[in-house]
Amino acid sequence: VNIYGRNPVNRPEHLEFETVETTATALSGAATYKQVEIRYVGPGGTGAIHLALFIPNNAKKPVPGFVLICNRSSVNIDPTRENKSPFWPVEQIVARGYFAAAFMNSDLDPDKDDGFKNGVHGIFDSGTNRASDAWGTIAAWAWGASRVMDYLETDKDIDAAKVGVIGHSRGGKTALWCAAQDERFGLAVSNDSGCTGAALARRRRGESIEAINGRFPHWFCSNYKQYNKREDDLPVDQHQLIALMAPRLVYVASATEDAWAD
């Protein structure tokens, strides 16, 4: 209500999955690769999440694994593996017997202040006057990770009870908010999520509420802006967000010399 906003819809009525590509000998035979399109329909049109999924061939099925919310360029989650970014170490994940899945946050909403006209906001928001607690872009990305989970629950090779959601920086904020709402995720991994992620607002270290609202006014609901320079008036703080994972698992990685990570 005060930070990320309310979703107008959870699982949409019209949601479908299509495996548009399958390669049984990916990663030199170590994995099966699937490209899955997760399509949804709302009052404002249609949208799709393009999920890249690698499932280890030699692991006992169903397998646990990890969903990465990618907030960097698509080359970082290159499914051809011609570009092997350390941002998504697929080969290492698969070698340990886990599935590795990733999608682009931009599939849900562009990371820019566009008046919430594009992406899922344009598809599901009703009317032109948004409520002060209407969902922002972080919430839209988190909504997308939940739609990925909707698909994973249908894949017989996946242990949907043992899925972790991962994000870095703004993706780390998203992973925390996603898992706080969606209890189907057994683990949230948040790396350097900073302000309105794992960092406490009331400590006033690194990036402030006023600063993040100024730089990224689309990330949160408009109610959050009333707490610019009024951190002590905010009725919640980020330790409570982390606590919402209990009794599930949460891993917060923060650099000790990074004041923004706190």
Side-chain angles (χ1 to χ4, degrees), residues 68-97:
L68 171 67
I69 303 166
C70 183
N71 59 285
R72 292 185 173 179
S73 65
S74 59
V75 72
N76 287 277
I77 57 169
D78 179 12
T80 71
R81 307 313 295 155
E82 292 179 6
N83 298 288
K84 296 180 181 179
S85 168
F87 195 70
W88 193 40
V90 170
E91 289 75 11
Q92 293 169 275
I93 296 170
V94 167
R96 294 292 297 271

PDB file of all heavy atoms in Angstrom, residues 68-97:
ATOM      1  N   LEU A  68      16.063 -16.526 -12.347  1.00  0.00           N
ATOM      2  CA  LEU A  68      16.729 -15.232 -12.318  1.00  0.00           C
ATOM      3  C   LEU A  68      15.860 -14.169 -12.984  1.00  0.00           C
ATOM      4  O   LEU A  68      15.418 -14.339 -14.120  1.00  0.00           O
ATOM      5  CB  LEU A  68      18.072 -15.306 -13.037  1.00  0.00           C
ATOM      6  CG  LEU A  68      18.788 -13.963 -13.267  1.00  0.00           C
ATOM      7  CD1 LEU A  68      19.233 -13.332 -11.955  1.00  0.00           C
ATOM      8  CD2 LEU A  68      19.979 -14.136 -14.217  1.00  0.00           C
ATOM      9  N   ILE A  69      15.623 -13.083 -12.280  1.00  0.00           N
ATOM     10  CA  ILE A  69      14.988 -11.899 -12.844  1.00  0.00           C
ATOM     11  C   ILE A  69      16.115 -11.032 -13.398  1.00  0.00           C
ATOM     12  O   ILE A  69      16.863 -10.417 -12.645  1.00  0.00           O
ATOM     13  CB  ILE A  69      14.198 -11.126 -11.773  1.00  0.00           C
ATOM     14  CG1 ILE A  69      13.153 -12.025 -11.113  1.00  0.00           C
ATOM     15  CG2 ILE A  69      13.550  -9.883 -12.384  1.00  0.00           C
ATOM     16  CD1 ILE A  69      12.571 -11.444  -9.832  1.00  0.00           C
ATOM     17  N   CYS A  70      16.263 -10.992 -14.707  1.00  0.00           N
ATOM     18  CA  CYS A  70      17.407 -10.299 -15.312  1.00  0.00           C
ATOM     19  C   CYS A  70      17.069  -8.838 -15.575  1.00  0.00           C
ATOM     20  O   CYS A  70      16.174  -8.533 -16.367  1.00  0.00           O
ATOM     21  CB  CYS A  70      17.816 -10.982 -16.613  1.00  0.00           C
ATOM     22  SG  CYS A  70      19.285 -10.220 -17.362  1.00  0.00           S
ATOM     23  N   ASN A  71      17.812  -7.950 -14.933  1.00  0.00           N
ATOM     24  CA  ASN A  71      17.621  -6.513 -15.123  1.00  0.00           C
ATOM     25  C   ASN A  71      18.748  -5.904 -15.957  1.00  0.00           C
ATOM     26  O   ASN A  71      18.801  -4.682 -16.125  1.00  0.00           O
ATOM     27  CB  ASN A  71      17.553  -5.808 -13.772  1.00  0.00           C
ATOM     28  CG  ASN A  71      18.805  -6.012 -12.924  1.00  0.00           C
ATOM     29  OD1 ASN A  71      18.991  -7.097 -12.369  1.00  0.00           O
ATOM     30  ND2 ASN A  71      19.664  -5.007 -12.813  1.00  0.00           N
ATOM     31  N   ARG A  72      19.621  -6.751 -16.481  1.00  0.00           N
ATOM     32  CA  ARG A  72      20.694  -6.275 -17.363  1.00  0.00           C
ATOM     33  C   ARG A  72      20.331  -6.612 -18.808  1.00  0.00           C
ATOM     34  O   ARG A  72      19.238  -7.088 -19.082  1.00  0.00           O
ATOM     35  CB  ARG A  72      22.022  -6.916 -16.962  1.00  0.00           C
ATOM     36  CG  ARG A  72      22.516  -6.441 -15.604  1.00  0.00           C
ATOM     37  CD  ARG A  72      23.884  -7.000 -15.277  1.00  0.00           C
ATOM     38  NE  ARG A  72      24.434  -6.417 -14.060  1.00  0.00           N
ATOM     39  CZ  ARG A  72      25.602  -6.748 -13.538  1.00  0.00           C
ATOM     40  NH1 ARG A  72      26.361  -7.673 -14.139  1.00  0.00           N
ATOM     41  NH2 ARG A  72      26.028  -6.178 -12.424  1.00  0.00           N
ATOM     42  N   SER A  73      21.240  -6.347 -19.729  1.00  0.00           N
ATOM     43  CA  SER A  73      20.947  -6.601 -21.136  1.00  0.00           C
ATOM     44  C   SER A  73      20.777  -8.095 -21.380  1.00  0.00           C
ATOM     45  O   SER A  73      21.291  -8.938 -20.627  1.00  0.00           O
ATOM     46  CB  SER A  73      22.071  -6.057 -22.014  1.00  0.00           C
ATOM     47  OG  SER A  73      23.276  -6.752 -21.774  1.00  0.00           O
ATOM     48  N   SER A  74      20.069  -8.421 -22.461  1.00  0.00           N
ATOM     49  CA  SER A  74      19.731  -9.812 -22.738  1.00  0.00           C
ATOM     50  C   SER A  74      20.953 -10.685 -23.002  1.00  0.00           C
ATOM     51  O   SER A  74      20.882 -11.911 -22.874  1.00  0.00           O
ATOM     52  CB  SER A  74      18.777  -9.898 -23.933  1.00  0.00           C
ATOM     53  OG  SER A  74      19.366  -9.324 -25.082  1.00  0.00           O
ATOM     54  N   VAL A  75      22.095 -10.081 -23.351  1.00  0.00           N
ATOM     55  CA  VAL A  75      23.294 -10.871 -23.596  1.00  0.00           C
ATOM     56  C   VAL A  75      23.724 -11.610 -22.331  1.00  0.00           C
ATOM     57  O   VAL A  75      24.394 -12.648 -22.400  1.00  0.00           O
ATOM     58  CB  VAL A  75      24.433  -9.983 -24.135  1.00  0.00           C
ATOM     59  CG1 VAL A  75      24.979  -9.076 -23.036  1.00  0.00           C
ATOM     60  CG2 VAL A  75      25.552 -10.824 -24.734  1.00  0.00           C
ATOM     61  N   ASN A  76      23.313 -11.108 -21.171  1.00  0.00           N
ATOM     62  CA  ASN A  76      23.669 -11.743 -19.903  1.00  0.00           C
ATOM     63  C   ASN A  76      22.942 -13.056 -19.662  1.00  0.00           C
ATOM     64  O   ASN A  76      23.357 -13.843 -18.806  1.00  0.00           O
ATOM     65  CB  ASN A  76      23.393 -10.785 -18.739  1.00  0.00           C
ATOM     66  CG  ASN A  76      24.385  -9.659 -18.661  1.00  0.00           C
ATOM     67  OD1 ASN A  76      25.472  -9.811 -18.110  1.00  0.00           O
ATOM     68  ND2 ASN A  76      24.030  -8.511 -19.226  1.00  0.00           N
ATOM     69  N   ILE A  77      21.868 -13.289 -20.390  1.00  0.00           N
ATOM     70  CA  ILE A  77      21.155 -14.569 -20.256  1.00  0.00           C
ATOM     71  C   ILE A  77      21.040 -15.231 -21.629  1.00  0.00           C
ATOM     72  O   ILE A  77      19.999 -15.783 -21.983  1.00  0.00           O
ATOM     73  CB  ILE A  77      19.779 -14.404 -19.583  1.00  0.00           C
ATOM     74  CG1 ILE A  77      18.882 -13.412 -20.345  1.00  0.00           C
ATOM     75  CG2 ILE A  77      19.936 -13.961 -18.137  1.00  0.00           C
ATOM     76  CD1 ILE A  77      17.435 -13.421 -19.864  1.00  0.00           C
ATOM     77  N   ASP A  78      22.129 -15.167 -22.375  1.00  0.00           N
ATOM     78  CA  ASP A  78      22.174 -15.721 -23.728  1.00  0.00           C
ATOM     79  C   ASP A  78      21.930 -17.228 -23.688  1.00  0.00           C
ATOM     80  O   ASP A  78      22.760 -17.991 -23.179  1.00  0.00           O
ATOM     81  CB  ASP A  78      23.529 -15.421 -24.355  1.00  0.00           C
ATOM     82  CG  ASP A  78      23.664 -16.000 -25.756  1.00  0.00           C
ATOM     83  OD1 ASP A  78      22.641 -16.425 -26.322  1.00  0.00           O
ATOM     84  OD2 ASP A  78      24.793 -16.022 -26.274  1.00  0.00           O
ATOM     85  N   PRO A  79      20.803 -17.713 -24.231  1.00  0.00           N
ATOM     86  CA  PRO A  79      20.521 -19.150 -24.175  1.00  0.00           C
ATOM     87  C   PRO A  79      21.385 -19.973 -25.125  1.00  0.00           C
ATOM     88  O   PRO A  79      21.488 -21.190 -24.949  1.00  0.00           O
ATOM     89  CB  PRO A  79      19.046 -19.231 -24.574  1.00  0.00           C
ATOM     90  CG  PRO A  79      18.819 -18.026 -25.413  1.00  0.00           C
ATOM     91  CD  PRO A  79      19.702 -16.961 -24.846  1.00  0.00           C
ATOM     92  N   THR A  80      22.015 -19.332 -26.106  1.00  0.00           N
ATOM     93  CA  THR A  80      22.892 -20.082 -27.003  1.00  0.00           C
ATOM     94  C   THR A  80      24.201 -20.435 -26.321  1.00  0.00           C
ATOM     95  O   THR A  80      24.938 -21.298 -26.794  1.00  0.00           O
ATOM     96  CB  THR A  80      23.208 -19.266 -28.267  1.00  0.00           C
ATOM     97  OG1 THR A  80      24.093 -18.176 -27.940  1.00  0.00           O
ATOM     98  CG2 THR A  80      21.935 -18.730 -28.905  1.00  0.00           C
ATOM     99  N   ARG A  81      24.518 -19.747 -25.238  1.00  0.00           N
ATOM    100  CA  ARG A  81      25.746 -19.901 -24.456  1.00  0.00           C
ATOM    101  C   ARG A  81      26.983 -19.510 -25.251  1.00  0.00           C
ATOM    102  O   ARG A  81      28.101 -19.852 -24.857  1.00  0.00           O
ATOM    103  CB  ARG A  81      25.889 -21.320 -23.886  1.00  0.00           C
ATOM    104  CG  ARG A  81      24.679 -21.806 -23.103  1.00  0.00           C
ATOM    105  CD  ARG A  81      24.153 -20.788 -22.114  1.00  0.00           C
ATOM    106  NE  ARG A  81      25.109 -20.499 -21.037  1.00  0.00           N
ATOM    107  CZ  ARG A  81      25.106 -19.350 -20.349  1.00  0.00           C
ATOM    108  NH1 ARG A  81      24.258 -18.391 -20.636  1.00  0.00           N
ATOM    109  NH2 ARG A  81      25.987 -19.169 -19.400  1.00  0.00           N
ATOM    110  N   GLU A  82      26.798 -18.780 -26.325  1.00  0.00           N
ATOM    111  CA  GLU A  82      27.948 -18.186 -27.006  1.00  0.00           C
ATOM    112  C   GLU A  82      28.551 -17.090 -26.128  1.00  0.00           C
ATOM    113  O   GLU A  82      29.761 -16.882 -26.113  1.00  0.00           O
ATOM    114  CB  GLU A  82      27.516 -17.618 -28.360  1.00  0.00           C
ATOM    115  CG  GLU A  82      27.106 -18.683 -29.368  1.00  0.00           C
ATOM    116  CD  GLU A  82      26.655 -18.074 -30.675  1.00  0.00           C
ATOM    117  OE1 GLU A  82      26.779 -16.835 -30.830  1.00  0.00           O
ATOM    118  OE2 GLU A  82      26.175 -18.825 -31.554  1.00  0.00           O
ATOM    119  N   ASN A  83      27.683 -16.409 -25.398  1.00  0.00           N
ATOM    120  CA  ASN A  83      28.109 -15.429 -24.394  1.00  0.00           C
ATOM    121  C   ASN A  83      27.801 -15.998 -23.021  1.00  0.00           C
ATOM    122  O   ASN A  83      26.638 -16.234 -22.692  1.00  0.00           O
ATOM    123  CB  ASN A  83      27.362 -14.108 -24.601  1.00  0.00           C
ATOM    124  CG  ASN A  83      27.662 -13.476 -25.941  1.00  0.00           C
ATOM    125  OD1 ASN A  83      28.748 -12.959 -26.153  1.00  0.00           O
ATOM    126  ND2 ASN A  83      26.698 -13.534 -26.857  1.00  0.00           N
ATOM    127  N   LYS A  84      28.834 -16.224 -22.255  1.00  0.00           N
ATOM    128  CA  LYS A  84      28.667 -16.837 -20.933  1.00  0.00           C
ATOM    129  C   LYS A  84      28.977 -15.794 -19.867  1.00  0.00           C
ATOM    130  O   LYS A  84      30.092 -15.686 -19.381  1.00  0.00           O
ATOM    131  CB  LYS A  84      29.574 -18.063 -20.796  1.00  0.00           C
ATOM    132  CG  LYS A  84      29.216 -19.175 -21.782  1.00  0.00           C
ATOM    133  CD  LYS A  84      30.132 -20.374 -21.631  1.00  0.00           C
ATOM    134  CE  LYS A  84      29.773 -21.458 -22.639  1.00  0.00           C
ATOM    135  NZ  LYS A  84      30.653 -22.637 -22.534  1.00  0.00           N
ATOM    136  N   SER A  85      27.967 -15.041 -19.522  1.00  0.00           N
ATOM    137  CA  SER A  85      28.111 -14.001 -18.516  1.00  0.00           C
ATOM    138  C   SER A  85      28.111 -14.608 -17.119  1.00  0.00           C
ATOM    139  O   SER A  85      27.292 -15.487 -16.822  1.00  0.00           O
ATOM    140  CB  SER A  85      26.962 -12.998 -18.645  1.00  0.00           C
ATOM    141  OG  SER A  85      26.923 -12.148 -17.519  1.00  0.00           O
ATOM    142  N   PRO A  86      28.989 -14.133 -16.227  1.00  0.00           N
ATOM    143  CA  PRO A  86      28.951 -14.606 -14.835  1.00  0.00           C
ATOM    144  C   PRO A  86      27.666 -14.207 -14.119  1.00  0.00           C
ATOM    145  O   PRO A  86      27.383 -14.707 -13.038  1.00  0.00           O
ATOM    146  CB  PRO A  86      30.179 -13.940 -14.208  1.00  0.00           C
ATOM    147  CG  PRO A  86      30.473 -12.765 -15.074  1.00  0.00           C
ATOM    148  CD  PRO A  86      30.079 -13.171 -16.456  1.00  0.00           C
ATOM    149  N   PHE A  87      26.905 -13.312 -14.734  1.00  0.00           N
ATOM    150  CA  PHE A  87      25.622 -12.906 -14.156  1.00  0.00           C
ATOM    151  C   PHE A  87      24.653 -14.084 -14.103  1.00  0.00           C
ATOM    152  O   PHE A  87      23.777 -14.127 -13.244  1.00  0.00           O
ATOM    153  CB  PHE A  87      25.034 -11.767 -14.999  1.00  0.00           C
ATOM    154  CG  PHE A  87      23.913 -11.023 -14.336  1.00  0.00           C
ATOM    155  CD1 PHE A  87      24.152 -10.203 -13.244  1.00  0.00           C
ATOM    156  CD2 PHE A  87      22.612 -11.126 -14.804  1.00  0.00           C
ATOM    157  CE1 PHE A  87      23.126  -9.505 -12.631  1.00  0.00           C
ATOM    158  CE2 PHE A  87      21.574 -10.439 -14.202  1.00  0.00           C
ATOM    159  CZ  PHE A  87      21.836  -9.618 -13.113  1.00  0.00           C
ATOM    160  N   TRP A  88      24.795 -15.013 -15.040  1.00  0.00           N
ATOM    161  CA  TRP A  88      23.939 -16.210 -15.078  1.00  0.00           C
ATOM    162  C   TRP A  88      24.804 -17.418 -15.412  1.00  0.00           C
ATOM    163  O   TRP A  88      24.895 -17.835 -16.560  1.00  0.00           O
ATOM    164  CB  TRP A  88      22.820 -16.038 -16.116  1.00  0.00           C
ATOM    165  CG  TRP A  88      21.725 -17.060 -16.033  1.00  0.00           C
ATOM    166  CD1 TRP A  88      21.155 -17.580 -14.911  1.00  0.00           C
ATOM    167  CD2 TRP A  88      21.039 -17.670 -17.138  1.00  0.00           C
ATOM    168  NE1 TRP A  88      20.163 -18.485 -15.242  1.00  0.00           N
ATOM    169  CE2 TRP A  88      20.061 -18.547 -16.603  1.00  0.00           C
ATOM    170  CE3 TRP A  88      21.144 -17.558 -18.527  1.00  0.00           C
ATOM    171  CZ2 TRP A  88      19.212 -19.310 -17.402  1.00  0.00           C
ATOM    172  CZ3 TRP A  88      20.295 -18.311 -19.330  1.00  0.00           C
ATOM    173  CH2 TRP A  88      19.345 -19.177 -18.771  1.00  0.00           C
ATOM    174  N   PRO A  89      25.449 -18.025 -14.403  1.00  0.00           N
ATOM    175  CA  PRO A  89      26.389 -19.138 -14.638  1.00  0.00           C
ATOM    176  C   PRO A  89      25.672 -20.462 -14.835  1.00  0.00           C
ATOM    177  O   PRO A  89      25.714 -21.360 -13.983  1.00  0.00           O
ATOM    178  CB  PRO A  89      27.248 -19.129 -13.370  1.00  0.00           C
ATOM    179  CG  PRO A  89      26.315 -18.631 -12.305  1.00  0.00           C
ATOM    180  CD  PRO A  89      25.416 -17.614 -12.980  1.00  0.00           C
ATOM    181  N   VAL A  90      25.022 -20.599 -15.951  1.00  0.00           N
ATOM    182  CA  VAL A  90      24.173 -21.755 -16.228  1.00  0.00           C
ATOM    183  C   VAL A  90      24.929 -23.071 -16.065  1.00  0.00           C
ATOM    184  O   VAL A  90      24.433 -24.030 -15.444  1.00  0.00           O
ATOM    185  CB  VAL A  90      23.595 -21.666 -17.659  1.00  0.00           C
ATOM    186  CG1 VAL A  90      22.921 -22.969 -18.053  1.00  0.00           C
ATOM    187  CG2 VAL A  90      22.616 -20.520 -17.759  1.00  0.00           C
ATOM    188  N   GLU A  91      26.136 -23.123 -16.641  1.00  0.00           N
ATOM    189  CA  GLU A  91      26.890 -24.380 -16.626  1.00  0.00           C
ATOM    190  C   GLU A  91      27.156 -24.859 -15.198  1.00  0.00           C
ATOM    191  O   GLU A  91      27.036 -26.058 -14.903  1.00  0.00           O
ATOM    192  CB  GLU A  91      28.207 -24.209 -17.386  1.00  0.00           C
ATOM    193  CG  GLU A  91      28.049 -24.085 -18.897  1.00  0.00           C
ATOM    194  CD  GLU A  91      27.522 -22.726 -19.362  1.00  0.00           C
ATOM    195  OE1 GLU A  91      27.472 -21.784 -18.538  1.00  0.00           O
ATOM    196  OE2 GLU A  91      27.159 -22.604 -20.545  1.00  0.00           O
ATOM    197  N   GLN A  92      27.486 -23.935 -14.303  1.00  0.00           N
ATOM    198  CA  GLN A  92      27.762 -24.312 -12.917  1.00  0.00           C
ATOM    199  C   GLN A  92      26.492 -24.747 -12.195  1.00  0.00           C
ATOM    200  O   GLN A  92      26.510 -25.688 -11.397  1.00  0.00           O
ATOM    201  CB  GLN A  92      28.414 -23.134 -12.186  1.00  0.00           C
ATOM    202  CG  GLN A  92      29.810 -22.795 -12.682  1.00  0.00           C
ATOM    203  CD  GLN A  92      30.286 -21.472 -12.119  1.00  0.00           C
ATOM    204  OE1 GLN A  92      30.001 -20.404 -12.647  1.00  0.00           O
ATOM    205  NE2 GLN A  92      31.017 -21.541 -11.031  1.00  0.00           N
ATOM    206  N   ILE A  93      25.409 -24.052 -12.456  1.00  0.00           N
ATOM    207  CA  ILE A  93      24.138 -24.395 -11.810  1.00  0.00           C
ATOM    208  C   ILE A  93      23.689 -25.794 -12.223  1.00  0.00           C
ATOM    209  O   ILE A  93      23.334 -26.631 -11.382  1.00  0.00           O
ATOM    210  CB  ILE A  93      23.060 -23.351 -12.168  1.00  0.00           C
ATOM    211  CG1 ILE A  93      23.444 -21.974 -11.618  1.00  0.00           C
ATOM    212  CG2 ILE A  93      21.696 -23.777 -11.630  1.00  0.00           C
ATOM    213  CD1 ILE A  93      22.574 -20.829 -12.116  1.00  0.00           C
ATOM    214  N   VAL A  94      23.733 -26.056 -13.524  1.00  0.00           N
ATOM    215  CA  VAL A  94      23.309 -27.357 -14.046  1.00  0.00           C
ATOM    216  C   VAL A  94      24.225 -28.474 -13.546  1.00  0.00           C
ATOM    217  O   VAL A  94      23.764 -29.574 -13.204  1.00  0.00           O
ATOM    218  CB  VAL A  94      23.261 -27.317 -15.584  1.00  0.00           C
ATOM    219  CG1 VAL A  94      23.149 -28.722 -16.165  1.00  0.00           C
ATOM    220  CG2 VAL A  94      22.091 -26.457 -16.049  1.00  0.00           C
ATOM    221  N   ALA A  95      25.524 -28.206 -13.484  1.00  0.00           N
ATOM    222  CA  ALA A  95      26.482 -29.215 -13.021  1.00  0.00           C
ATOM    223  C   ALA A  95      26.205 -29.652 -11.586  1.00  0.00           C
ATOM    224  O   ALA A  95      26.534 -30.778 -11.195  1.00  0.00           O
ATOM    225  CB  ALA A  95      27.907 -28.687 -13.150  1.00  0.00           C
ATOM    226  N   ARG A  96      25.600 -28.762 -10.806  1.00  0.00           N
ATOM    227  CA  ARG A  96      25.253 -29.101  -9.419  1.00  0.00           C
ATOM    228  C   ARG A  96      23.889 -29.776  -9.307  1.00  0.00           C
ATOM    229  O   ARG A  96      23.431 -30.072  -8.197  1.00  0.00           O
ATOM    230  CB  ARG A  96      25.270 -27.835  -8.555  1.00  0.00           C
ATOM    231  CG  ARG A  96      26.660 -27.198  -8.383  1.00  0.00           C
ATOM    232  CD  ARG A  96      27.585 -28.073  -7.567  1.00  0.00           C
ATOM    233  NE  ARG A  96      27.101 -28.267  -6.220  1.00  0.00           N
ATOM    234  CZ  ARG A  96      27.400 -27.465  -5.195  1.00  0.00           C
ATOM    235  NH1 ARG A  96      28.187 -26.416  -5.379  1.00  0.00           N
ATOM    236  NH2 ARG A  96      26.912 -27.720  -3.998  1.00  0.00           N
ATOM    237  N   GLY A  97      23.214 -29.988 -10.439  1.00  0.00           N
ATOM    238  CA  GLY A  97      21.952 -30.708 -10.426  1.00  0.00           C
ATOM    239  C   GLY A  97      20.713 -29.862 -10.299  1.00  0.00           C
ATOM    240  O   GLY A  97      19.625 -30.383 -10.022  1.00  0.00           O
TER     241      GLY A  97
END
